[in-house]
């Protein structure tokens, strides 16, 4: 029987295993953020992942779920428990890149497969790539690169850019600059988890910028945009979907209307897999899924498709089944590059009024078949 264990805020491993796992069974360990300021990212990734598992109706898949509380040391401890005591076959779930860097290299070196539902630090796409590591979301730079190109085509020539000072933040701004052809009014790194942006908004006001690009996921983006809207600064804002998911823009409200953002997925993408996913997610959870839920859902569907062909005990066969990516992705066309990161279209969405609130609406494609720039650094 499938056993789903969620420790909520607890940091100790769940122990109520009803029966020994059979040789052909598969055990998946999910470590994700379920508490604190970034909890909605992990909650949506978990809910999307578990929706696919539940829809599959399989009795040979066990999922253990733990909360990392957005702390690298907690994530590392939980990973050691999953790999060494629980002997999981597959790990997944980490949202934040600093946590991924603390966990993934050790996990894959020990022979366990890791499939990322979110974090995509550049080192894991390049010099630290590994045959047991697959990223089902994106490489960190990708959405930012696409926005850099899009803003260039829109004619912006003097952007003010900012992001938090951690691996995904540095990747974000490097990605933006890679395809942006204009000048920079300023490049600013903020503190991870920062909530007061008065100083940065004052810098924007005085900078002479014609546009603002920022990457501030979770509560950081909510705090910045509310303060920005109240400041009276009218310089247009752009960013990646991480700063403008449905939860974030719901908290921001009307101040977010008109902002455009890049994403590898949109809930109004017109394909059968996506329509079924969005409908079933809304029915089960009573809310519109974010991109994090779509990534969790796709990750689980990829795992399930690969399990139809091979068991992780046969590592070579299971690896090849993952590489084939033989599943219907909610984002449309999907395939892996040689470094096990996606090659996929990146879309543009615009935030519009909807009923009593706001929502993202698909505008079009920003970049077709984007592959990350680190693939040539990967020695696989």
């Amino acid at each position: 029987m499938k056993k789903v264990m969620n420790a909520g805020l607890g940091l100790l491993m769940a122990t109520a295993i009803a029966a020994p796992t059979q040789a052909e069974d598969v055990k998946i360990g999910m470590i994700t953020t379920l508490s604190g300021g970034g909890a909605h990212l992990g909650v949506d990734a978990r809910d999307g992942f578990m929706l696919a598992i539940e829809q599959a109706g399989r009795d040979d898949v066990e999922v253990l779920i733990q909360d990392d509380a957005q702390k690298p040391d907690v994530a590392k401890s939980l990973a050691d428990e999953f790999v060494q005591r629980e002997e999981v076959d597959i790990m997944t779930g980490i949202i934040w890149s600093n946590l991924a860097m603390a966990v993934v290299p050790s996990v894959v070196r020990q022979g366990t497969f890791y499939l990322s539902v979110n974090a995509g630090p550049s080192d894991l796409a390049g010099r630290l790539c590994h045959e047991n590591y697959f990223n089902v979301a994106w490489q960190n730079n990708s959405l930012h690169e696409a926005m850099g190109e899009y803003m260039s085509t829109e004619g912006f020539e003097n952007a003010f850019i900012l992001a938090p000072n951690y691996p995904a933040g540095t990747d974000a701004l490097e990605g933006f600059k890679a395809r942006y052809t204009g000048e920079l009014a300023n490049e600013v790194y903020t503190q991870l988890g920062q909530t007061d942006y008065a100083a940065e908004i004052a810098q924007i006001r005085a900078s002479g910028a014609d546009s603002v690009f920022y990457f501030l996921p979770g509560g950081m983006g909510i705090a910045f945009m509310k303060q920005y809207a109240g400041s009276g600064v009218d310089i247009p804002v752009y960013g990646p979907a991480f700063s403008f998911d449905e939860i974030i823009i719901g908290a921001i409200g009307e101040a977010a209307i008109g902002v455009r953002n890049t994403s590898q997925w949109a809930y109004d993408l017109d394909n059968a897999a996506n329509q079924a996913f969005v409908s079933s997610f809304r029915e089960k959870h009573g809310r519109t899924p974010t991109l994090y839920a779509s990534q969790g859902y796709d990750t689980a569907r990829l795992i399930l498709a690969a399990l139809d062909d091979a068991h992780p005990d046969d590592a070579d066969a299971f690896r090849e089944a993952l590489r084939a990516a033989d599943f219907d992705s909610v984002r449309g066309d999907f395939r892996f590059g040689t470094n096990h990161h996606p090659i996929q279209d990146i879309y543009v969405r615009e935030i519009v009024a909807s009923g009593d609130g706001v929502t993202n609406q698909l505008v079009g494609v920003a970049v077709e078949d984007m592959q990350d720039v680190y693939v040539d650094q990967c020695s696989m």
Side-chain angles (χ1 to χ4, degrees):
M1 178 179 179
K2 177 174 64 183
K3 299 171 284 295
V4 179
M5 300 179 184
N6 187 341
L9 302 182
L11 303 179
L12 298 178
M13 289 294 299
T15 57
I17 305 296
T21 303
Q22 300 301 311
E24 69 273 13
D25 287 352
V26 174
K27 188 182 286 190
I28 300 171
M30 171 176 273
I31 299 171
T32 196
T33 301
L34 302 174
S35 60
H40 86 263
L41 286 67
V43 168
D44 252 31
R46 176 200 64 190
D47 289 351
F49 188 93
M50 293 309 302
L51 178 62
I53 295 293
E54 292 161 9
Q55 288 176 343
R58 301 176 64 138
D59 61 3
D60 61 340
V61 176
E62 176 184 355
V63 182
L64 308 177
I65 302 174
Q66 287 286 356
D67 177 17
D68 58 39
Q70 204 176 327
K71 297 178 180 178
D73 58 334
V74 172
K76 182 65 169 63
S77 177
L78 292 172
D80 290 342
E81 291 281 351
F82 275 148
V83 172
Q84 296 165 18
R85 191 179 84 181
E86 295 295 338
E87 298 182 340
V88 298
D89 302 287
I90 300 164
M91 282 187 55
T92 189
I94 290 177
I95 298 298
W96 305 92
S97 290
N98 54 332
L99 274 65
M101 292 304 300
V103 167
V104 172
S106 173
V107 165
V108 295
R109 282 197 302 267
Q110 293 179 74
T112 302
F113 285 92
Y114 189 96
L115 280 79
S116 179
V117 300
N118 194 69
S122 53
D123 280 345
L124 297 183
R127 66 184 186 88
L128 295 181
C129 69
H130 194 280
E131 63 182 1
N132 291 338
Y133 173 74
F134 290 78
N135 189 301
V136 195
W138 22 256
Q139 192 279 318
N140 281 349
N141 300 39
S142 296
L143 303 193
H144 316 292
E145 285 185 40
M147 185 52 82
E149 181 167 323
Y150 179 75
M151 288 175 64
S152 297
T153 63
E154 291 291 292
F156 292 105
E157 299 179 343
N158 193 32
F160 188 109
I161 64 175
L162 67 159
N165 190 15
Y166 79 119
T170 55
D171 284 349
L173 298 194
E174 287 304 312
F176 178 85
K177 292 185 293 183
R179 295 193 182 219
Y180 177 66
T181 58
E183 301 294 326
L184 293 180
N186 204 349
E187 177 179 354
V188 173
Y189 285 97
T190 63
Q191 294 298 310
L192 186 63
Q194 184 171 323
T195 58
D196 184 355
Y197 293 94
E200 289 79 8
I201 292 170
Q203 288 179 280
I204 293 170
R205 186 193 302 274
S207 69
D210 63 3
S211 54
V212 175
F213 168 85
Y214 76 78
F215 163 63
L216 293 168
M220 293 179 285
I222 296 171
F224 175 86
M225 199 64 198
K226 282 187 171 182
Q227 292 165 37
Y228 188 82
S231 72
V233 178
D234 60 359
I235 301 169
V237 171
Y238 294 80
F242 320 123
S243 302
F244 301 101
D245 67 49
E246 293 297 306
I247 304 297
I248 289 175
I249 65 175
I252 295 170
E254 291 184 359
I257 291 175
V259 172
R260 291 195 170 188
N261 59 93
T262 42
S263 179
Q264 88 292 354
W265 171 84
Y267 72 80
D268 50 350
L269 275 174
D270 187 15
N271 67 70
N274 190 50
Q275 291 170 349
F277 160 64
V278 173
S279 176
S280 58
F281 190 94
R282 284 172 167 166
E283 182 178 356
K284 182 173 180 63
H285 295 290
R287 66 183 190 273
T288 296
T290 65
L291 76 161
Y292 307 107
S294 78
Q295 292 157 193
Y297 189 79
D298 266 1
T299 300
R301 298 248 293 178
L302 170 62
I303 290 171
L304 294 166
L307 289 174
D308 288 339
D309 291 335
H311 189 281
D313 284 348
D314 186 346
D316 289 340
F318 188 67
R319 194 176 298 116
E320 287 306 310
L322 291 172
R323 285 174 179 153
D326 186 17
F327 73 107
D328 292 328
S329 170
V330 298
R331 70 197 76 174
D333 292 339
F334 176 96
R335 68 187 191 277
F336 284 116
T338 55
N339 62 348
H340 296 171
H341 282 64
I343 299 173
Q344 59 189 339
D345 292 345
I346 306 297
Y347 303 96
V348 177
R349 311 181 304 180
E350 181 174 344
I351 301 168
V352 299
S354 176
D356 295 329
V358 295
T359 191
N360 279 292
Q361 185 175 82
L362 183 65
V363 174
V365 178
V367 180
E368 293 183 349
D369 288 336
M370 174 171 277
Q371 182 170 38
D372 65 272
V373 298
Y374 300 99
V375 62
D376 291 338
Q377 298 178 22
C378 175
S379 59
M380 279 195 296

